[in-house]
Amino acid sequence: MTPNLALDRLIAELAARYDGLVPTSELYAAGHCREAIGNRMKANTLAGVAVGVRRLGNVELTPARRAMAAALVLPDSWVSHTSALAVFGATQKANSLKSEISSPHHYRPPGIRAHRRAIPSKANLRSYFEIPVSQPWWAVIESASVLNENELAVAMDSLFQSKSISWKRLQRAHDEAGKYRGRPMLAYLLNERLNGQGIVRSFLEQDLSRLLKQHLLPTPVRNFEVILPNARKRVLDVAWPAVRCGLEAQSWKHHSNPSDWGRTMVRDRGLTVIGWSILPVVVADTRDPTSLIAGLHELFFRVSHT
């Protein structure tokens, strides 16, 4: 096998092992020269990530991969905090934050938020493409110190919906962790969910929930299930079953193509047929809720006088 083919084959093997990342130390250890690797950079076969780590040129550089690259460079380190949440697809906000790792060492890689911490128990780490990453429940505890309440709630609920965590497992990790920054906030959110308050599936739903509390409206039921005459089940973001009124958070992300929009219209039509009033809520309503709140008060007044 020629040196060029051997290099390309090794690059492909390493990229498959490390989710598109290629540690140059392993290329050098196999006898490949700096010039040959530089030629792959010039041809855009490889692209830069961090000192000592490259990625395939067609692989997107996400905060999670940047943190994974740092973990490859820094011995005994692992992907943690919001970067671990991003690895598990827990929240949109985590994907936009600075990538984070943890390590027992003082070294801080450029462009990375590195936390100096003792290595957690093996039960709180997992291997992701052969790179250590905080387990989902441990990432929630770590992130309680860097996310606000809304961001942490959505991250927790995203992990729960994807079956990455259970509330009991998160509760156990919370109890075992002892004192840490963000503990009161996480305890409050966890207790709310253990007591059946329901989960939120987006930041828009979180903002809507806070808005309803601020305006002292009757306490709604989150994620309320309605069975239609055709036996299909529909889940409303927020509902007042006694008055057959529901709110649906309509984010652009989940309704930005004709197929999603069509499914929403058909679902709402089925609910209307059996007497439900479904009010759509958009981001603008959380900024200026005057129209939404007035409509809800009018609806509750009308129902109470019929």
Side-chain angles (χ1 to χ4, degrees):
M1 184 181 294
T2 66
N4 284 347
L5 287 177
L7 174 57
D8 291 337
R9 181 174 179 177
L10 180 56
I11 288 172
E13 290 174 354
L14 293 173
R17 186 188 306 169
Y18 298 122
D19 192 29
L21 301 175
V22 180
T24 53
S25 60
E26 298 196 32
L27 300 180
Y28 297 140
H32 299 290
C33 66
R34 192 177 301 273
E35 181 181 0
I37 297 170
N39 288 337
R40 300 302 185 281
M41 297 284 290
K42 291 177 183 177
N44 294 324
T45 302
L46 293 176
V49 182
V51 177
V53 181
R54 303 291 181 261
R55 61 183 166 91
L56 294 183
N58 61 351
V59 168
E60 181 185 2
L61 180 56
T62 62
R65 283 199 180 97
R66 187 177 286 112
M68 290 165 65
L72 282 171
V73 173
L74 192 59
D76 301 321
S77 64
W78 66 97
V79 181
S80 64
H81 294 72
T82 59
S83 288
L85 293 179
V87 166
F88 300 115
T91 172
Q92 299 167 350
K93 285 289 181 73
N95 290 325
S96 66
L97 294 173
K98 192 174 185 179
S99 50
E100 300 182 89
I101 64 169
S102 291
S103 166
H105 304 296
H106 285 286
Y107 177 66
R108 297 293 179 263
I112 297 289
R113 180 181 294 156
H115 305 265
R116 190 181 179 203
R117 292 172 174 265
I119 298 175
S121 67
K122 290 183 179 179
N124 289 327
L125 289 179
R126 71 163 58 175
S127 180
Y128 183 81
F129 285 94
E130 300 189 22
I131 297 170
V133 179
S134 292
Q135 288 278 16
W137 53 84
W138 196 247
V140 169
I141 289 172
E142 292 172 328
S143 299
S145 64
V146 295
L147 295 178
N148 63 38
E149 182 179 321
N150 288 354
E151 293 165 348
L152 186 63
V154 174
M156 290 168 57
D157 294 344
S158 297
L159 290 170
F160 178 77
Q161 286 186 297
S162 65
K163 302 187 186 305
S164 298
I165 62 170
S166 68
W167 298 134
K168 288 184 178 179
R169 184 63 186 87
L170 182 55
Q171 178 72 68
R172 189 163 83 247
H174 167 75
D175 294 339
E176 294 170 351
K179 293 183 178 180
Y180 58 89
R181 283 182 58 199
R183 182 183 175 91
M185 178 173 63
L186 179 56
Y188 166 75
L189 293 173
L190 186 54
N191 183 64
E192 187 180 45
R193 281 146 184 77
L194 288 170
N195 288 330
Q197 294 298 308
I199 63 174
V200 292
R201 292 168 288 185
S202 70
F203 289 104
L204 177 54
E205 283 187 42
Q206 186 65 259
D207 291 340
L208 174 60
S209 178
R210 187 177 65 253
L211 181 67
L212 296 175
K213 290 180 182 178
Q214 288 174 348
H215 288 270
L216 304 177
L217 287 161
T219 302
V221 179
R222 288 182 189 165
N223 306 318
F224 183 73
E225 294 184 0
V226 181
I227 305 300
L228 299 179
N230 61 6
R232 289 191 176 185
K233 180 176 70 175
R234 294 293 178 261
V235 180
L236 298 174
D237 295 334
V238 172
W240 290 271
V243 296
R244 292 205 167 197
C245 174
L247 301 182
E248 279 290 284
Q250 307 286 17
S251 66
W252 178 251
K253 176 184 177 183
H254 299 295
H255 301 85
S256 58
N257 62 66
S259 178
D260 290 338
W261 182 83
R263 279 195 295 270
T264 299
M265 296 303 104
V266 171
R267 178 203 61 198
D268 290 354
R269 184 172 62 209
L271 290 165
T272 301
V273 167
I274 60 174
W276 278 81
S277 298
I278 304 300
L279 305 182
V281 180
V282 295
V283 173
D285 289 316
T286 63
R287 296 168 182 161
D288 181 7
T290 306
S291 175
L292 174 64
I293 299 302
L296 286 171
H297 279 303
E298 182 178 343
L299 178 62
F300 293 143
F301 177 82
R302 187 169 65 247
V303 171
S304 66
H305 287 74
T306 56

